[in-house]
Amino acid sequence: MQHRLYIVGAGPGDPDLLTVKAHRVLMEADMVLYDALLGKQILEMLPESCEKIYVGKTYKDQQDQIKRMCRINALMKKGVEEGKRVVRLKTGDPLIFGRGIEEVRFLRNEKIDYELVPGITAGIAAANHCQIPITERSINRTLLFCTGTTLDGDMKQFDAVSSMIQLGTPVMIYMGLNNLGSIIDKLIGNGVKADTSICAISKVSYPDEKMLFGNLSNFMSKLEQNPLEMPTIMLIGENIMPMLEEADELLNQCSDCNS
């Protein structure tokens, strides 16, 4: 079935990580509304006839998010009413730490035909690139996705996160680089061991991807010596370091990997 509008997960940025369906939909698009942080190669592969409109946001860009969402909704509706094949292209997966569901609600209210196309979220891509076993038989059976940034700056969720880490659950933290010092203090204050492993992966899947790892007690000093750019994914857990230590070839290739 052909839909007039698709909300598509573009993955972390590498065009090779697009799903086959996402690629097909993009190749058939008349209009693409795209977010920030998408690799230029994905935009360059779009048909020349496709209208490309930037609707993203970046950290502290001072945009009014209500006005931004109203603009996105208006553009989606206008494109469909004009008979165009519209793609709302979102970084990662449309429903993980984004405003995808708000756009879905708008489309439902307007009775606009749409389809969601999943994408590879940055945390999963990061774990694979760094050979981190986020689940492993008989060791850890759960995985926690968490945001490091909230609208009100409240960090209460890390009370529960701390308990999960102590139970052996690895945690993926999105959008937490600027709050990382406070997050680490919160975790240690809640009883998480200071030698718990942490790995940060910057610009996942991009050519200039970087990785830095250590433990909760020394990571901020390592980060000061080896700054990372946003977007950055943090993985924290008791069982993530062993595989990193075994991946000698990977570590030797990465100048920012410190033991």
Side-chain angles (χ1 to χ4, degrees):
M1 179 180 178
Q2 288 287 330
H3 300 274
R4 274 296 176 190
L5 189 142
Y6 291 84
I7 300 179
V8 175
D14 182 348
D16 286 342
L17 295 181
L18 285 168
T19 66
V20 173
K21 186 166 189 175
H23 182 270
R24 175 179 62 77
V25 168
L26 286 170
M27 292 302 98
E28 297 172 351
D30 299 311
M31 174 191 288
V32 172
L33 310 176
Y34 66 95
D35 277 348
L37 308 180
L38 287 171
K40 290 182 179 179
Q41 289 176 295
I42 292 178
L43 298 177
E44 290 171 351
M45 66 192 293
L46 297 175
E48 290 186 10
S49 60
C50 178
E51 182 181 7
K52 297 178 280 290
I53 303 174
Y54 173 71
V55 294
K57 66 181 180 71
T58 56
Y59 181 67
K60 289 187 176 180
D61 65 5
Q62 304 302 315
Q63 284 193 70
D64 183 312
Q65 293 307 311
I66 295 177
K67 289 182 179 179
R68 173 175 166 267
M69 286 306 305
C70 287
R71 176 174 177 253
I72 291 171
N73 292 340
L75 286 169
M76 290 193 296
K77 183 176 180 180
K78 182 174 182 290
V80 169
E81 289 177 342
E82 291 175 350
K84 296 178 180 178
R85 290 166 294 187
V86 180
V87 172
R88 174 68 177 99
L89 188 61
K90 302 180 73 67
T91 301
D93 182 88
L95 298 184
I96 294 184
F97 297 124
R99 297 173 181 263
I101 196 61
E102 297 176 30
E103 295 167 9
V104 166
R105 291 190 183 109
F106 170 80
L107 297 171
R108 286 178 177 174
N109 289 337
E110 295 294 321
K111 295 180 171 53
I112 294 173
D113 181 46
Y114 71 92
E115 181 178 346
L116 280 161
V117 180
I120 297 174
T121 187
I124 299 298
N128 280 271
H129 279 205
C130 298
Q131 301 180 35
I132 296 173
I134 48 179
T135 63
E136 187 172 1
R137 183 162 44 94
S138 302
I139 296 179
N140 55 291
R141 300 178 179 85
T142 56
L143 169 66
L144 183 63
F145 292 79
C146 179
T147 176
T149 302
T150 57
L151 290 176
D152 58 5
D154 194 332
M155 299 181 69
K156 289 181 180 178
Q157 76 267 26
F158 286 100
D159 293 334
V161 170
S162 301
S163 297
M164 295 295 288
I165 292 174
Q166 291 176 80
L167 291 172
T169 297
V171 176
M172 291 182 175
I173 300 179
Y174 291 64
M175 300 174 290
L177 185 61
N178 288 290
N179 297 326
L180 187 56
S182 298
I183 291 170
I184 289 175
D185 289 344
K186 182 80 168 177
L187 296 177
I188 293 176
N190 283 337
V192 177
K193 294 178 181 177
D195 63 356
T196 299
S197 300
I198 174 171
C199 178
I201 305 93
S202 168
K203 305 184 79 171
V204 176
S205 85
Y206 286 72
D208 54 348
E209 174 183 297
K210 292 182 180 180
M211 179 175 68
L212 182 70
F213 68 91
N215 57 53
L216 295 182
S217 65
N218 65 19
F219 194 79
M220 293 308 296
S221 62
K222 288 191 172 188
L223 185 60
E224 186 176 350
Q225 297 170 13
N226 301 276
L228 298 176
E229 294 183 54
M230 293 189 288
T232 296
I233 293 286
M234 273 75 66
L235 289 90
I236 301 175
E238 296 178 353
N239 301 308
I240 69 169
M241 188 62 75
M243 281 297 292
L244 286 173
E245 291 176 338
E246 292 170 17
D248 293 332
E249 183 178 350
L250 175 66
L251 298 183
N252 290 334
Q253 291 173 357
C254 182
S255 61
D256 288 287
C257 297
N258 300 286
S259 58

